[in-house]
Amino acid sequence: MAVFLLAWQRGSHDWVSSYIGHFMLEASRLGYAVPPQVLEQWREYQAAQARGYLAGNDQGRLAHAYRLYTLARAQQPEMAAMNRLRENAALDGVARWQLAAAYLQVGLPDAAADLIGSMPRPPAAYEEPGATFASTLRDEALLLPVLRGLERNDEAAALAERMADGLASRQWYSTHSLAWALSSLAQHYGVAETERFAFAWRQGKSKWQQEESDQPLLQWALAPEPGPVAVRNDTEQPLFVVLSNTGVPAAGEETARSAGLTLSAQFVDREGKPVAVERLQQGRDVHVQVQVVNRSGRRQENIALTQIFPSGWQINNARLAGADEGEIVDYQDIRDDRVLSYFGLEADEAISLTVSVNASFAGRFYLPGWQVEAMYDAAVHASTEGRWVEVVAD
């Protein structure tokens, strides 16, 4: 399940623990098979954390409110913990809305209304996602069910429309924000029967192709040849068309980029002397040294470094030999053709990682450019150029 994306982090993570449980609860509600023992262990953990909560900062209070909401949604509310948090004088902002959502789950709309007052809190603009992976869209998704639950329907409708406009724009959103938004909007609009609709489409000068369906979403692949795409709506109900085109730069056309992070790499032998990887003797070992520096001016959490290697090179995985590599990064996934590393950096902090590879197979291969990015902030990233390399047989 994709929801376990951040489960590799060492130690517990309050927000992720609630997020994973929230996902499992929704999956179970929709009829998907979720192991009962897993859900029960999660409930026990959440309840123990809720009872033992003492105090925290703004993000900690929001994470605690989210925990209480998930317990209420699991029909095992911790009312004493909810009431204690409600009486906390420091409780403010989005945390009040999340706690209000918990009270709505247990059928106490008066308590929810008392928490948030008469006016909705405008979602904040965040300089960084922080421990709760915050964003304006995530906050809007959190507010929407509370407004709906309190029957503030005009405000809820306006907020839902604003969220939909944001999703339809070209703005980048993290997977976390998108998951919250789509889930919230789906619950807001509900599952309604879709009337059968008909339309026609064509690409370039080809013939019109007729389509009919009672499904709310249709998707198909277009021919790779360039040319305009035309769609004709043959019914009176609205039809929304999304044309999506994705791809990767052709080999040799990648460009180096840097925004908030810098990424540099060098190739050396066992003695630390530079190696020209454009032409390597078959069987030679090379050490790949990569350095990432945080130039964003603030701490960056959840940085992901992706290194994909040429198919003629093999990664020397020291773990298979039982080597102890220490804890330089939060997590590292070593696969056949790539190394994926995850870590955090303070402002102006640098991290250096070394991967050993072997030029195993003769031939000409492409070394793709490498990328490093803040997983929840698209404005912070860096990449290197790709290059052609050759492995020469003895």
Side-chain angles (χ1 to χ4, degrees):
M1 288 185 288
V3 74
F4 288 99
L5 174 64
L6 292 175
W8 46 259
Q9 292 201 3
R10 294 189 179 91
S12 62
H13 191 294
D14 286 347
W15 188 267
V16 173
S17 297
S18 297
Y19 187 64
I20 290 173
H22 191 180
F23 175 89
M24 292 191 295
L25 290 171
E26 291 301 308
S28 179
R29 183 180 64 84
L30 293 172
Y32 292 94
V34 178
Q37 67 274 19
V38 175
L39 263 178
E40 184 57 32
Q41 291 173 358
W42 171 80
R43 290 190 189 101
E44 292 176 356
Y45 172 81
Q46 290 287 86
Q49 293 297 108
R51 294 166 191 159
Y53 178 79
L54 296 175
N57 57 18
D58 288 345
Q59 293 188 57
R61 286 186 287 273
L62 174 56
H64 184 47
Y66 186 27
R67 178 191 297 122
L68 296 172
Y69 169 77
T70 59
L71 284 168
R73 197 157 181 82
Q75 298 183 347
Q76 292 188 2
E78 287 289 331
M79 295 304 303
M82 289 169 58
N83 292 334
R84 285 196 301 271
L85 183 60
R86 179 185 177 186
E87 294 169 0
N88 190 325
L91 185 67
D92 194 13
V94 183
R96 298 184 72 88
W97 286 84
Q98 185 64 86
L99 185 58
Y103 277 105
L104 284 171
Q105 282 293 312
V106 297
L108 295 173
D110 290 343
D114 180 65
L115 269 167
I116 63 173
S118 60
M119 295 295 291
R121 174 188 182 275
Y126 294 92
E127 293 184 358
E128 56 184 297
T132 66
F133 311 100
S135 71
T136 299
L137 182 64
R138 193 283 309 274
D139 286 0
E140 291 175 335
L142 192 153
L143 269 58
L144 182 59
V146 179
L147 291 173
R148 187 182 67 249
L150 294 177
E151 298 183 353
R152 293 164 61 169
N153 297 325
D154 290 343
E155 296 170 81
L159 180 57
E161 185 174 350
R162 185 161 69 245
M163 291 171 61
D165 288 343
L167 290 173
S169 71
R170 293 183 176 273
Q171 183 175 346
W172 179 91
Y173 294 109
S174 72
T175 53
H176 180 264
S177 297
L178 288 173
W180 269 90
L182 293 174
S183 176
S184 183
L185 286 171
Q187 293 179 40
H188 175 74
Y189 289 111
V191 180
E193 293 186 3
T194 304
E195 297 181 8
R196 192 168 188 83
F197 60 93
F199 65 96
W201 68 277
R202 68 179 181 183
Q203 183 175 1
K205 297 182 179 180
S206 62
K207 294 182 179 180
W208 287 97
Q209 299 188 43
Q210 299 292 142
E211 304 283 353
E212 289 189 23
S213 178
D214 55 4
Q215 299 298 315
L217 177 66
L218 288 181
Q219 180 176 340
W220 65 91
L222 299 174
E225 292 78 12
V229 177
V231 178
R232 184 187 70 221
N233 187 0
D234 294 333
T235 61
E236 295 182 358
Q237 57 182 320
L239 186 68
F240 301 92
V241 180
V242 177
L243 181 62
S244 176
N245 184 23
T246 60
V248 297
E253 295 185 7
E254 299 159 316
T255 58
R257 299 176 300 164
S258 178
L261 297 173
T262 61
L263 173 63
S264 59
Q266 61 177 343
F267 304 87
V268 299
D269 59 19
R270 294 180 179 179
E271 288 72 39
K273 297 179 180 178
V275 173
V277 295
E278 287 77 11
R279 186 177 176 86
L280 291 173
Q281 287 295 122
Q282 187 175 13
R284 185 173 185 180
D285 287 329
V286 176
H287 293 300
V288 182
Q289 298 178 342
V290 172
Q291 184 182 69
V292 179
V293 185
N294 178 12
R295 302 296 189 190
S296 67
R298 55 181 172 83
R299 175 169 177 79
Q300 293 292 340
E301 300 279 358
N302 303 308
I303 297 174
L305 169 65
T306 302
Q307 298 171 265
I308 302 177
F309 293 90
S311 55
W313 297 5
Q314 284 191 317
I315 299 170
N316 297 321
N317 191 343
R319 295 176 186 170
L320 299 179
D324 183 7
E325 298 178 309
E327 298 183 354
I328 298 176
V329 297
D330 295 329
Y331 179 78
Q332 190 172 68
D333 185 3
I334 302 176
R335 305 184 185 181
D336 290 341
D337 66 338
R338 66 195 62 195
V339 176
L340 311 174
S341 304
Y342 304 89
F343 48 88
L345 292 175
E346 299 290 344
D348 296 321
E349 183 182 6
I351 187 172
S352 297
L353 304 175
T354 300
V355 177
S356 176
V357 298
N358 178 267
S360 302
F361 305 102
R364 187 169 182 260
F365 310 97
Y366 190 68
L367 170 60
W370 294 337
Q371 295 85 35
V372 62
E373 60 183 345
M375 296 169 63
Y376 296 91
D377 188 348
V380 180
H381 58 84
S383 61
T384 63
E385 295 179 346
R387 68 178 84 174
W388 288 98
V389 296
E390 187 176 6
V391 177
V392 182
D394 293 337

